[in-house]
Amino acid sequence: MTKALEGIRVLDMTHVQSGPSATQILAWFGADVIKVEVPGRGDITRQQLRDIPDVDSLYFTMLNGNKRSLTLNNKAEQGKEIFTKLIEACDVMVENFAPGALDRMGFTWERIQEINPRMIYASVKGFGPGAYENCKVYENVAQCTGGSASTTGFDSGPPTVTAAQIGDSGSGIHLVAGILAALLQREKSGRGQRVEVAMQDAVLNLCRVKLRDQQRLRHGPLKEYPQYPNGTFGEAVPRAGHASGGGQPGHVLECAPGGPNDYIYVIIQPQGWATLMKVIGREDLVDHPDWATPEGRLPHLETCFHLIEGWTVTKTKSEVMEILNAHEIPCGPVLSMKELAEDPSLRATGAVVEVEHPARGSYLTVGNPIKLSDSPTEVERSPLLGEHTAEILRELGYSDSDIATAQEGGVI
Ligand SMILES: CC(C)(COP(=O)(O)OP(=O)(O)OC[C@H]1O[C@@H](n2cnc3c(N)ncnc32)[C@H](O)[C@@H]1OP(=O)(O)O)[C@@H](O)C(=O)NCCC(=O)NCCS
Protein backbone atom coordinates (compact mmCIF):
# COMPACT_ATOMS: atom_id res chain seq x y z
CA MET A 1 0.00 0.00 0.00
CA THR A 2 1.38 3.45 -0.85
CA LYS A 3 1.67 6.06 1.86
CA ALA A 4 0.07 9.51 1.83
CA LEU A 5 3.38 11.37 1.52
CA GLU A 6 5.27 8.79 -0.52
CA GLY A 7 7.58 10.58 -2.97
CA ILE A 8 7.89 13.67 -0.75
CA ARG A 9 11.47 14.21 0.40
CA VAL A 10 12.06 16.20 3.57
CA LEU A 11 15.35 17.88 4.41
CA ASP A 12 15.17 17.64 8.17
CA MET A 13 17.44 20.19 9.84
CA THR A 14 15.62 19.90 13.16
CA HIS A 15 16.89 19.22 16.65
CA VAL A 16 15.59 18.78 20.20
CA GLN A 17 11.77 18.39 20.17
CA SER A 18 9.63 20.94 18.32
CA GLY A 19 11.05 20.39 14.82
CA PRO A 20 11.61 16.63 15.19
CA SER A 21 8.01 16.17 16.36
CA ALA A 22 6.86 17.73 13.06
CA THR A 23 9.13 15.69 10.80
CA GLN A 24 8.15 12.61 12.84
CA ILE A 25 4.58 13.00 11.63
CA LEU A 26 5.70 13.56 8.03
CA ALA A 27 7.81 10.38 8.24
CA TRP A 28 4.86 8.43 9.67
CA PHE A 29 2.81 9.57 6.67
CA GLY A 30 5.45 8.06 4.38
CA ALA A 31 7.71 10.99 3.49
CA ASP A 32 11.42 10.24 3.08
CA VAL A 33 12.81 12.28 5.97
CA ILE A 34 16.55 12.91 5.78
CA LYS A 35 17.78 14.09 9.16
CA VAL A 36 20.92 16.18 8.78
CA GLU A 37 23.11 16.02 11.88
CA VAL A 38 26.43 17.47 12.99
CA PRO A 39 29.18 14.84 12.38
CA GLY A 40 30.35 13.02 15.50
CA ARG A 41 27.65 14.46 17.76
CA GLY A 42 24.30 14.55 16.02
CA ASP A 43 21.11 15.96 17.48
CA ILE A 44 21.98 17.03 21.04
CA THR A 45 19.14 14.89 22.39
CA ARG A 46 20.95 11.68 21.37
CA GLN A 47 23.04 12.29 24.50
CA GLN A 48 20.49 13.93 26.78
CA LEU A 49 18.73 12.08 29.64
CA ARG A 50 20.43 8.83 28.69
CA ASP A 51 19.26 5.71 30.54
CA ILE A 52 21.90 3.39 29.00
CA PRO A 53 25.53 4.53 28.61
CA ASP A 54 26.59 5.33 25.02
CA VAL A 55 23.18 4.43 23.59
CA ASP A 56 20.89 6.97 21.89
CA SER A 57 18.53 8.31 24.54
CA LEU A 58 14.81 7.61 24.56
CA TYR A 59 14.38 11.36 24.15
CA PHE A 60 15.93 10.98 20.69
CA THR A 61 14.58 7.56 19.71
CA MET A 62 10.98 8.52 20.53
CA LEU A 63 11.04 11.60 18.26
CA ASN A 64 12.99 10.33 15.29
CA GLY A 65 11.51 7.04 14.14
CA ASN A 66 11.06 6.27 10.44
CA LYS A 67 13.77 8.81 9.48
CA ARG A 68 17.18 8.45 7.79
CA SER A 69 20.26 10.04 9.35
CA LEU A 70 22.94 11.86 7.35
CA THR A 71 25.89 13.53 9.04
CA LEU A 72 27.05 16.74 7.37
CA ASN A 73 29.07 19.74 8.43
CA ASN A 74 27.14 22.54 6.79
CA LYS A 75 29.81 25.07 7.64
CA ALA A 76 32.53 23.32 5.58
CA GLU A 77 32.80 24.29 1.89
CA GLN A 78 32.12 20.76 0.63
CA GLY A 79 29.34 20.49 3.21
CA LYS A 80 27.63 23.53 1.70
CA GLU A 81 27.93 21.98 -1.76
CA ILE A 82 26.31 18.73 -0.59
CA PHE A 83 23.65 20.71 1.25
CA THR A 84 22.87 22.64 -1.96
CA LYS A 85 22.30 19.34 -3.75
CA LEU A 86 20.02 18.24 -0.94
CA ILE A 87 17.97 21.43 -1.30
CA GLU A 88 17.66 20.73 -5.04
CA ALA A 89 16.49 17.17 -4.34
CA CYS A 90 13.98 17.84 -1.55
CA ASP A 91 10.41 19.16 -1.43
CA VAL A 92 10.29 20.38 2.15
CA MET A 93 12.96 21.72 4.47
CA VAL A 94 12.28 21.95 8.19
CA GLU A 95 14.46 23.68 10.80
CA ASN A 96 14.20 24.93 14.35
CA PHE A 97 17.60 26.42 15.04
CA ALA A 98 18.04 29.64 16.95
CA PRO A 99 17.02 32.63 14.83
CA GLY A 100 19.53 33.37 12.06
CA ALA A 101 21.49 30.08 12.26
CA LEU A 102 20.67 29.00 8.69
CA ASP A 103 21.33 32.51 7.37
CA ARG A 104 24.75 32.37 9.03
CA MET A 105 25.44 29.10 7.18
CA GLY A 106 24.74 31.02 3.96
CA PHE A 107 21.28 29.56 3.35
CA THR A 108 18.84 32.44 3.57
CA TRP A 109 15.25 31.97 2.36
CA GLU A 110 16.17 33.96 -0.77
CA ARG A 111 19.12 31.62 -1.48
CA ILE A 112 17.00 28.53 -0.85
CA GLN A 113 14.37 29.80 -3.33
CA GLU A 114 17.10 30.42 -5.91
CA ILE A 115 18.30 26.84 -5.55
CA ASN A 116 14.83 25.30 -5.54
CA PRO A 117 11.79 27.51 -6.17
CA ARG A 118 9.47 24.61 -5.28
CA MET A 119 10.96 24.27 -1.80
CA ILE A 120 8.65 24.57 1.19
CA TYR A 121 10.77 26.00 3.99
CA ALA A 122 9.25 25.46 7.43
CA SER A 123 10.63 26.90 10.67
CA VAL A 124 9.78 26.93 14.34
CA LYS A 125 11.02 29.87 16.37
CA GLY A 126 10.22 30.94 19.91
CA PHE A 127 8.57 34.24 18.97
CA GLY A 128 7.21 35.96 15.92
CA PRO A 129 8.65 39.25 14.59
CA GLY A 130 9.11 41.89 17.29
CA ALA A 131 11.07 42.58 20.45
CA TYR A 132 11.78 38.92 21.21
CA GLU A 133 12.36 37.58 17.70
CA ASN A 134 16.03 36.76 18.30
CA CYS A 135 15.51 34.89 21.57
CA LYS A 136 16.24 31.22 22.06
CA VAL A 137 13.25 29.39 23.46
CA TYR A 138 12.55 26.03 25.10
CA GLU A 139 9.26 24.37 25.99
CA ASN A 140 8.56 25.97 29.34
CA VAL A 141 9.53 29.43 28.13
CA ALA A 142 6.80 29.07 25.50
CA GLN A 143 4.32 27.82 28.10
CA CYS A 144 5.08 30.90 30.21
CA THR A 145 4.95 33.40 27.35
CA GLY A 146 1.94 31.87 25.60
CA GLY A 147 -0.52 32.18 28.50
CA SER A 148 -0.48 28.58 29.71
CA ALA A 149 1.53 28.99 32.92
CA SER A 150 -0.39 32.00 34.24
CA THR A 151 -3.67 30.11 33.90
CA THR A 152 -2.51 26.66 35.09
CA GLY A 153 -2.33 25.50 38.70
CA PHE A 154 -4.15 26.69 41.79
CA ASP A 155 -4.98 30.17 42.99
CA SER A 156 -2.88 29.63 46.09
CA GLY A 157 0.24 28.61 44.17
CA PRO A 158 2.65 30.02 41.59
CA PRO A 159 2.16 29.82 37.79
CA THR A 160 2.56 26.18 36.77
CA VAL A 161 3.93 24.48 33.68
CA THR A 162 2.15 21.48 32.26
CA ALA A 163 3.67 18.12 31.36
CA ALA A 164 2.04 18.12 27.94
CA GLN A 165 4.66 19.55 25.58
CA ILE A 166 2.37 22.14 24.08
CA GLY A 167 5.25 24.48 23.21
CA ASP A 168 7.38 21.90 21.43
CA SER A 169 5.16 19.12 20.10
CA GLY A 170 2.23 21.58 20.00
CA SER A 171 4.24 23.84 17.67
CA GLY A 172 5.32 20.79 15.69
CA ILE A 173 1.74 19.82 14.96
CA HIS A 174 0.94 23.37 13.87
CA LEU A 175 3.97 23.28 11.58
CA VAL A 176 2.80 20.03 9.97
CA ALA A 177 -0.56 21.64 9.16
CA GLY A 178 1.27 24.52 7.45
CA ILE A 179 3.58 22.20 5.51
CA LEU A 180 0.69 20.08 4.22
CA ALA A 181 -1.27 23.21 3.19
CA ALA A 182 1.82 24.54 1.38
CA LEU A 183 2.30 21.21 -0.43
CA LEU A 184 -1.32 21.37 -1.56
CA GLN A 185 -0.97 24.98 -2.72
CA ARG A 186 2.21 24.04 -4.62
CA GLU A 187 0.11 21.62 -6.69
CA LYS A 188 -1.69 24.67 -8.13
CA SER A 189 0.97 27.40 -8.01
CA GLY A 190 4.06 25.33 -8.76
CA ARG A 191 5.87 27.42 -6.12
CA GLY A 192 7.17 26.67 -2.68
CA GLN A 193 6.71 29.03 0.24
CA ARG A 194 7.79 29.77 3.80
CA VAL A 195 5.90 28.26 6.71
CA GLU A 196 6.58 29.78 10.11
CA VAL A 197 5.27 28.89 13.55
CA ALA A 198 6.16 30.83 16.68
CA MET A 199 5.96 28.70 19.82
CA GLN A 200 4.33 31.57 21.73
CA ASP A 201 1.55 31.72 19.11
CA ALA A 202 1.05 27.95 19.11
CA VAL A 203 0.67 27.89 22.90
CA LEU A 204 -1.71 30.84 22.79
CA ASN A 205 -3.76 29.06 20.13
CA LEU A 206 -4.00 26.07 22.47
CA CYS A 207 -4.96 28.43 25.32
CA ARG A 208 -7.63 30.30 23.39
CA VAL A 209 -10.30 29.45 25.98
CA LYS A 210 -8.34 31.55 28.45
CA LEU A 211 -8.24 34.50 26.04
CA ARG A 212 -12.00 33.98 25.79
CA ASP A 213 -12.24 34.16 29.59
CA GLN A 214 -10.10 37.32 29.70
CA GLN A 215 -12.82 39.04 27.68
CA ARG A 216 -15.66 37.49 29.70
CA LEU A 217 -14.01 38.83 32.86
CA ARG A 218 -14.94 42.38 31.78
CA HIS A 219 -18.58 41.48 32.31
CA GLY A 220 -18.29 39.96 35.75
CA PRO A 221 -16.74 37.03 37.62
CA LEU A 222 -16.13 33.72 35.88
CA LYS A 223 -18.75 31.65 37.61
CA GLU A 224 -17.34 28.23 36.72
CA TYR A 225 -13.98 29.11 38.33
CA PRO A 226 -13.24 27.97 41.92
CA GLN A 227 -12.78 31.65 42.90
CA TYR A 228 -16.55 32.14 42.53
CA PRO A 229 -18.44 33.06 44.65
CA ASN A 230 -16.18 33.38 47.70
CA GLY A 231 -12.79 34.31 46.21
CA THR A 232 -11.65 37.36 44.31
CA PHE A 233 -10.95 38.05 40.66
CA GLY A 234 -8.23 40.46 39.62
CA GLU A 235 -7.75 41.96 36.19
CA ALA A 236 -6.39 38.81 34.56
CA VAL A 237 -7.77 35.28 34.16
CA PRO A 238 -6.81 33.41 37.35
CA ARG A 239 -5.54 29.84 37.67
CA ALA A 240 -8.57 27.60 37.52
CA GLY A 241 -7.40 24.48 39.36
CA HIS A 242 -9.38 21.55 38.04
CA ALA A 243 -12.17 23.61 36.49
CA SER A 244 -13.02 22.71 32.94
CA GLY A 245 -12.23 25.11 30.12
CA GLY A 246 -15.56 24.19 28.51
CA GLY A 247 -19.16 25.00 29.24
CA GLN A 248 -19.83 21.94 31.41
CA PRO A 249 -18.32 21.96 34.89
CA GLY A 250 -15.94 19.18 35.86
CA HIS A 251 -13.55 18.23 38.64
CA VAL A 252 -10.92 15.69 39.62
CA LEU A 253 -12.39 13.51 42.39
CA GLU A 254 -10.61 11.12 44.71
CA CYS A 255 -11.23 7.36 44.52
CA ALA A 256 -10.30 4.28 46.57
CA PRO A 257 -7.80 3.09 47.69
CA GLY A 258 -6.29 6.59 47.79
CA GLY A 259 -3.00 6.19 45.87
CA PRO A 260 -1.34 9.14 44.11
CA ASN A 261 -3.29 8.54 40.89
CA ASP A 262 -6.53 7.20 42.32
CA TYR A 263 -8.66 9.99 40.90
CA ILE A 264 -11.28 10.39 38.22
CA TYR A 265 -12.44 13.47 36.32
CA VAL A 266 -16.21 13.81 36.35
CA ILE A 267 -18.24 16.22 34.23
CA ILE A 268 -21.77 17.30 35.06
CA GLN A 269 -23.87 17.63 31.94
CA PRO A 270 -27.30 19.21 32.63
CA GLN A 271 -29.06 16.09 31.34
CA GLY A 272 -26.92 13.85 33.57
CA TRP A 273 -27.73 15.54 36.88
CA ALA A 274 -30.73 13.43 37.89
CA THR A 275 -28.99 10.15 37.06
CA LEU A 276 -25.81 11.21 38.82
CA MET A 277 -27.71 12.10 41.99
CA LYS A 278 -29.54 8.77 41.91
CA VAL A 279 -26.25 6.89 41.46
CA ILE A 280 -24.67 8.60 44.48
CA GLY A 281 -27.80 8.15 46.58
CA ARG A 282 -28.91 11.81 46.68
CA GLU A 283 -32.35 11.59 45.06
CA ASP A 284 -33.32 14.52 47.31
CA LEU A 285 -31.20 16.85 45.13
CA VAL A 286 -32.68 15.78 41.79
CA ASP A 287 -35.39 18.46 41.81
CA HIS A 288 -34.08 20.70 44.58
CA PRO A 289 -34.30 24.36 43.40
CA ASP A 290 -30.71 25.14 44.51
CA TRP A 291 -29.24 22.16 42.70
CA ALA A 292 -31.43 21.02 39.81
CA THR A 293 -30.24 23.55 37.20
CA PRO A 294 -26.71 24.47 35.99
CA GLU A 295 -27.32 28.10 37.04
CA GLY A 296 -28.56 26.99 40.46
CA ARG A 297 -25.43 24.87 40.98
CA LEU A 298 -22.90 27.56 40.00
CA PRO A 299 -22.74 29.31 43.41
CA HIS A 300 -21.90 26.01 45.10
CA LEU A 301 -20.06 23.96 42.50
CA GLU A 302 -17.27 23.05 44.90
CA THR A 303 -19.79 21.63 47.39
CA CYS A 304 -21.50 19.85 44.55
CA PHE A 305 -18.31 18.02 43.53
CA HIS A 306 -17.53 17.37 47.17
CA LEU A 307 -20.85 15.51 47.45
CA ILE A 308 -20.03 13.36 44.43
CA GLU A 309 -16.55 12.72 45.83
CA GLY A 310 -18.20 11.32 48.96
CA TRP A 311 -19.38 8.52 46.67
CA THR A 312 -16.28 8.17 44.41
CA VAL A 313 -13.96 7.62 47.40
CA THR A 314 -15.86 4.41 48.15
CA LYS A 315 -14.99 2.92 44.72
CA THR A 316 -11.90 2.43 42.60
CA LYS A 317 -11.49 4.69 39.58
CA SER A 318 -12.24 1.73 37.26
CA GLU A 319 -15.48 1.01 39.14
CA VAL A 320 -16.52 4.65 38.97
CA MET A 321 -15.67 4.71 35.26
CA GLU A 322 -17.80 1.64 34.63
CA ILE A 323 -20.80 2.77 36.68
CA LEU A 324 -20.91 6.36 35.41
CA ASN A 325 -20.32 5.41 31.78
CA ALA A 326 -23.21 2.95 31.96
CA HIS A 327 -25.30 6.08 32.70
CA GLU A 328 -23.63 8.16 29.97
CA ILE A 329 -21.97 10.49 32.45
CA PRO A 330 -18.70 11.75 30.93
CA CYS A 331 -15.72 10.88 33.10
CA GLY A 332 -12.19 9.57 32.82
CA PRO A 333 -9.73 8.05 35.28
CA VAL A 334 -6.40 9.74 35.98
CA LEU A 335 -4.02 7.21 34.43
CA SER A 336 -0.38 7.01 35.44
CA MET A 337 2.35 6.62 32.81
CA LYS A 338 2.85 3.08 34.17
CA GLU A 339 -0.78 2.26 33.50
CA LEU A 340 -0.61 3.77 30.01
CA ALA A 341 2.61 1.92 29.16
CA GLU A 342 1.07 -1.38 30.21
CA ASP A 343 -2.44 -0.87 28.81
CA PRO A 344 -3.16 -3.69 26.31
CA SER A 345 -5.84 -1.68 24.51
CA LEU A 346 -3.33 1.07 23.66
CA ARG A 347 -0.95 -1.57 22.30
CA ALA A 348 -3.81 -3.02 20.25
CA THR A 349 -4.67 0.34 18.65
CA GLY A 350 -1.03 1.24 18.07
CA ALA A 351 -1.14 4.25 20.37
CA VAL A 352 1.82 2.69 22.19
CA VAL A 353 4.25 0.68 20.08
CA GLU A 354 7.25 -1.48 20.91
CA VAL A 355 10.13 -1.31 18.45
CA GLU A 356 13.54 -3.00 18.21
CA HIS A 357 16.71 -0.93 18.24
CA PRO A 358 20.13 -2.41 17.43
CA ALA A 359 21.85 -0.73 20.38
CA ARG A 360 19.17 -0.54 23.08
CA GLY A 361 17.00 -3.58 22.37
CA SER A 362 13.28 -2.95 22.44
CA TYR A 363 11.72 0.33 23.57
CA LEU A 364 8.27 1.81 23.78
CA THR A 365 7.25 4.79 21.73
CA VAL A 366 4.03 6.50 20.78
CA GLY A 367 2.33 5.55 17.54
CA ASN A 368 0.86 7.96 15.03
CA PRO A 369 -2.27 9.39 16.68
CA ILE A 370 -3.56 10.48 13.25
CA LYS A 371 -5.09 7.49 11.47
CA LEU A 372 -5.46 7.46 7.68
CA SER A 373 -7.41 4.51 6.26
CA ASP A 374 -5.34 4.44 3.05
CA SER A 375 -2.01 5.19 4.67
CA PRO A 376 -1.49 3.11 7.79
CA THR A 377 1.60 3.95 9.84
CA GLU A 378 4.22 1.34 10.57
CA VAL A 379 6.36 2.77 13.35
CA GLU A 380 10.06 2.09 12.80
CA ARG A 381 13.05 2.67 15.05
CA SER A 382 15.16 5.83 14.94
CA PRO A 383 18.35 5.78 12.85
CA LEU A 384 21.84 5.53 14.31
CA LEU A 385 23.97 8.64 13.82
CA GLY A 386 24.97 8.81 10.15
CA GLU A 387 23.47 5.41 9.42
CA HIS A 388 22.34 6.50 5.96
CA THR A 389 25.06 9.01 5.05
CA ALA A 390 26.69 6.95 2.29
CA GLU A 391 23.35 5.70 0.95
CA ILE A 392 21.95 9.26 0.62
CA LEU A 393 25.15 10.67 -0.91
CA ARG A 394 25.10 7.90 -3.53
CA GLU A 395 21.49 8.81 -4.33
CA LEU A 396 22.71 12.40 -4.88
CA GLY A 397 25.25 11.11 -7.42
CA TYR A 398 28.41 11.02 -5.29
CA SER A 399 30.89 8.21 -5.92
CA ASP A 400 32.42 6.03 -3.23
CA SER A 401 35.71 7.91 -3.58
CA ASP A 402 33.92 11.28 -3.16
CA ILE A 403 32.33 9.89 -0.02
CA ALA A 404 35.68 8.67 1.30
CA THR A 405 37.23 12.11 0.68
CA ALA A 406 34.36 13.85 2.48
CA GLN A 407 34.79 11.47 5.38
CA GLU A 408 38.53 12.08 5.61
CA GLY A 409 37.92 15.84 5.57
CA GLY A 410 35.42 15.56 8.46
CA VAL A 411 32.63 16.91 6.24
CA ILE A 412 30.32 13.94 6.88
C1 LIG B 1 16.36 25.08 20.97
C2 LIG B 1 17.43 26.12 21.01
C3 LIG B 1 17.25 27.03 22.24
C4 LIG B 1 18.77 25.41 21.12
O1 LIG B 1 19.85 26.31 21.08
P1 LIG B 1 21.35 25.82 20.85
O2 LIG B 1 21.55 24.46 21.44
O3 LIG B 1 22.22 26.87 21.38
O4 LIG B 1 21.50 25.60 19.28
P2 LIG B 1 21.33 26.67 18.10
O5 LIG B 1 19.99 26.48 17.49
O6 LIG B 1 21.66 28.03 18.60
O7 LIG B 1 22.38 26.35 16.98
C5 LIG B 1 23.19 25.35 16.90
C6 LIG B 1 24.46 25.73 16.11
O8 LIG B 1 24.80 24.51 15.47
C7 LIG B 1 25.00 24.77 14.11
N1 LIG B 1 24.65 23.58 13.34
C8 LIG B 1 23.51 22.85 13.41
N2 LIG B 1 23.56 21.87 12.51
C9 LIG B 1 24.74 21.96 11.88
C10 LIG B 1 25.38 21.22 10.88
N3 LIG B 1 24.80 20.17 10.33
N4 LIG B 1 26.60 21.61 10.49
C11 LIG B 1 27.21 22.68 11.03
N5 LIG B 1 26.67 23.42 12.00
C12 LIG B 1 25.44 23.06 12.41
C13 LIG B 1 24.10 25.92 13.80
O9 LIG B 1 24.49 26.54 12.61
C14 LIG B 1 24.29 26.78 15.03
O10 LIG B 1 25.54 27.46 14.91
P3 LIG B 1 25.72 29.06 15.03
O11 LIG B 1 25.14 29.45 16.35
O12 LIG B 1 27.21 29.24 14.97
O13 LIG B 1 25.01 29.70 13.93
C15 LIG B 1 17.42 26.98 19.72
O14 LIG B 1 17.74 26.16 18.64
C16 LIG B 1 16.07 27.64 19.45
O15 LIG B 1 15.72 28.63 20.09
N6 LIG B 1 15.33 27.13 18.47
C17 LIG B 1 14.08 27.71 18.03
C18 LIG B 1 12.96 27.43 18.97
C19 LIG B 1 12.77 25.97 19.24
O16 LIG B 1 12.52 25.18 18.36
N7 LIG B 1 12.81 25.63 20.52
C20 LIG B 1 12.38 24.35 21.00
C21 LIG B 1 13.37 23.32 20.96
S1 LIG B 1 12.60 21.84 21.46
Side-chain angles (χ1 to χ4, degrees), residues 111-125:
R111 176 74 190 120
I112 292 162
Q113 275 178 303
E114 253 170 44
I115 302 167
N116 181 357
R118 286 175 60 80
M119 177 62 87
I120 288 153
Y121 174 28
S123 308
V124 173
K125 298 288 167 249

Side-chain angles (χ1 to χ4, degrees), residues 15-18 38 72-75 96-98 101 104-105 124 126 136-138 168 199:
H15 68 159
V16 203
Q17 184 181 168
S18 68
V38 180
L72 188 67
N73 179 358
N74 277 0
K75 288 179 179 162
N96 68 308
F97 290 126
R104 288 193 288 279
M105 287 178 193
V124 173
K136 290 187 176 185
V137 167
Y138 283 107
D168 282 342
M199 294 168 73

Side-chain angles (χ1 to χ4, degrees), residues 90-208:
C90 289
D91 301 276
V92 178
M93 178 170 166
V94 190
E95 64 87 22
N96 68 308
F97 290 126
L102 262 150
D103 296 358
R104 288 193 288 279
M105 287 178 193
F107 294 94
T108 59
W109 169 223
E110 291 71 27
R111 176 74 190 120
I112 292 162
Q113 275 178 303
E114 253 170 44
I115 302 167
N116 181 357
R118 286 175 60 80
M119 177 62 87
I120 288 153
Y121 174 28
S123 308
V124 173
K125 298 288 167 249
F127 296 97
Y132 302 129
E133 66 186 21
N134 290 320
C135 298
K136 290 187 176 185
V137 167
Y138 283 107
E139 171 68 48
N140 288 343
V141 175
Q143 288 194 23
C144 290
T145 57
S148 180
S150 67
T151 53
T152 302
F154 293 88
D155 214 13
S156 53
T160 307
V161 293
T162 163
Q165 304 285 283
I166 57 176
D168 282 342
S169 288
S171 298
I173 295 163
H174 284 84
L175 198 70
V176 170
I179 291 168
L180 296 180
L183 278 169
L184 209 54
Q185 189 170 8
R186 194 180 72 170
E187 292 292 303
K188 292 172 264 176
S189 69
R191 282 195 319 277
Q193 62 182 299
R194 262 202 102 151
V195 177
E196 294 173 288
V197 171
M199 294 168 73
Q200 181 183 36
D201 301 359
V203 170
L204 180 57
N205 185 36
L206 296 172
C207 288
R208 77 174 65 178

Side-chain angles (χ1 to χ4, degrees), residues 307-343:
L307 283 176
I308 303 166
E309 194 167 48
W311 173 78
T312 60
V313 287
T314 66
K315 311 255 177 299
T316 66
K317 59 189 175 186
S318 317
E319 288 166 345
V320 176
M321 178 75 177
E322 204 168 310
I323 296 168
L324 294 189
N325 268 297
H327 291 95
E328 296 184 6
I329 292 163
C331 60
V334 169
L335 295 177
S336 69
M337 273 300 146
K338 184 172 187 300
E339 288 167 311
L340 290 164
E342 292 167 359
D343 186 336

